[in-house]
């Protein structure tokens, strides 16, 4: 398991988070990720994330579906099982349009869903570390990875200076894994539930 050290900063407002992300990137820190309770327009550009290639993948899947549908129907009606239907040609392309369109949409839709799940690491049994459970409620969480160039103290000081109301350090798995969460994560969740009651 790839275990690393992270400095986690919690923000109350997206208006504070947005400039904070800009300042952290300008200072040269590596932002592991930013977790928000709702989508924030433009945050991906501020974080320096490249534009998604999902639309390109969808185009490729669609063209593949079109090619498969036309090739299969052309082969069936001209080579494998040619039929004389009222003297009509064996390759009636206008008649192939509905099936070709439907298969194109099917391939593009299914392919894009599977590609999205792969890019976002979503699958049954896949787990990732939760840096703070409040990110799904009302907090904005910025996670900075500690590297050889950036120390924990520098990251903590920068997050405090940019408006984070709570900063702490976590040692966690950087990627994803199959299976269940560890005991510490379960105990943390249980303690949160008890505090809430």
């Amino acid at each position: 398991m790839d275990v690393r050290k992270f400095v986690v900063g919690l923000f109350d407002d997206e208006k504070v988070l947005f400039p904070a992300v800009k300042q952290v990137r300008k200072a040269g820190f590596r932002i592991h990720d930013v977790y928000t309770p709702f989508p924030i327009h433009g945050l991906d550009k501020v974080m320096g994330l490249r534009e998604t290639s999902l639309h390109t993948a969808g185009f490729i899947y669609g063209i593949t579906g079109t090619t498969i549908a036309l090739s299969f129907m052309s082969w069936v009606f001209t080579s494998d099982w040619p039929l004389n239907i009222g003297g009509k040609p064996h390759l009636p392309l206008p008649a192939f349009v509905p099936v070709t369109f439907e298969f194109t949409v099917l391939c593009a839709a299914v392919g894009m869903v599977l590609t999205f799940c792969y890019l976002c690491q979503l699958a049954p049994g896949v787990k990732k570390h939760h840096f703070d459970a409040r990110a799904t409620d009302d907090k904005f969480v910025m996670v900075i990875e500690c590297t050889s160039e950036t120390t924990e103290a520098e990251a903590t000081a920068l997050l405090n200076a940019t408006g984070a109301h709570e900063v702490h350090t976590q040692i966690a798995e950087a990627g994803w894994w199959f299976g269940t969460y560890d005991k510490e994560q379960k105990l943390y969740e249980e303690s949160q539930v008890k505090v809430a009651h």
Side-chain angles (χ1 to χ4, degrees):
M1 293 178 71
D2 187 15
V3 178
R4 300 179 190 174
K5 183 183 283 188
F6 300 94
V7 177
V8 182
L10 274 72
F11 296 82
D12 283 326
D13 192 357
E14 63 178 298
K15 294 178 182 177
V16 180
L17 173 72
F18 217 88
V21 172
K22 290 181 180 178
Q23 292 178 31
V24 168
R25 284 202 67 223
K26 189 176 180 180
F29 288 82
R30 181 186 297 174
I31 298 178
H32 175 71
D33 212 339
V34 177
Y35 303 93
T36 61
F38 52 83
I40 299 177
H41 180 68
L43 184 61
D44 52 343
K45 292 181 181 178
V46 174
M47 289 176 62
L49 301 176
R50 67 178 182 84
E51 187 179 347
T52 179
S53 57
L54 195 60
H55 56 278
T56 305
F59 177 76
I60 293 170
Y61 297 136
I63 289 296
T64 303
T66 302
T67 305
I68 291 172
L70 285 176
S71 300
F72 179 73
M73 287 186 291
S74 300
W75 171 73
V76 167
F77 286 107
T78 59
S79 301
D80 184 55
W81 201 260
L83 296 173
N84 186 351
I85 304 173
K88 294 178 181 178
H90 291 302
L91 191 63
L93 288 178
F96 294 169
V97 170
V99 175
T100 303
F101 173 77
E102 294 297 335
F103 196 71
T104 299
V105 172
L106 176 68
C107 288
V110 172
M112 287 176 73
V113 168
L114 294 177
T115 302
F116 175 80
C117 290
Y118 171 76
L119 293 174
C120 296
Q121 301 166 353
L122 299 173
V126 170
K127 301 290 186 291
K128 294 185 80 172
H129 178 74
H130 296 298
F131 289 95
D132 199 296
R134 292 171 288 178
T136 60
D137 186 16
D138 61 346
K139 300 297 179 189
F140 302 86
V141 181
M142 187 193 313
V143 182
I144 298 176
E145 182 180 339
C146 295
T147 62
S148 56
E149 292 85 15
T150 58
T151 64
E152 177 184 343
E154 292 173 339
T156 302
L158 182 59
L159 284 173
N160 283 322
T162 55
H165 70 84
E166 183 181 328
V167 180
H168 57 275
T169 304
Q170 293 185 23
I171 297 175
E173 170 66 33
W176 56 272
W177 68 91
F178 284 105
T180 59
Y181 288 110
D182 57 7
K183 293 180 181 178
E184 291 182 7
Q185 183 71 29
K186 288 182 179 178
L187 289 174
Y188 173 75
E189 290 174 353
E190 289 172 2
S191 65
Q192 291 292 320
V193 171
K194 288 178 182 177
V195 169
H197 291 301

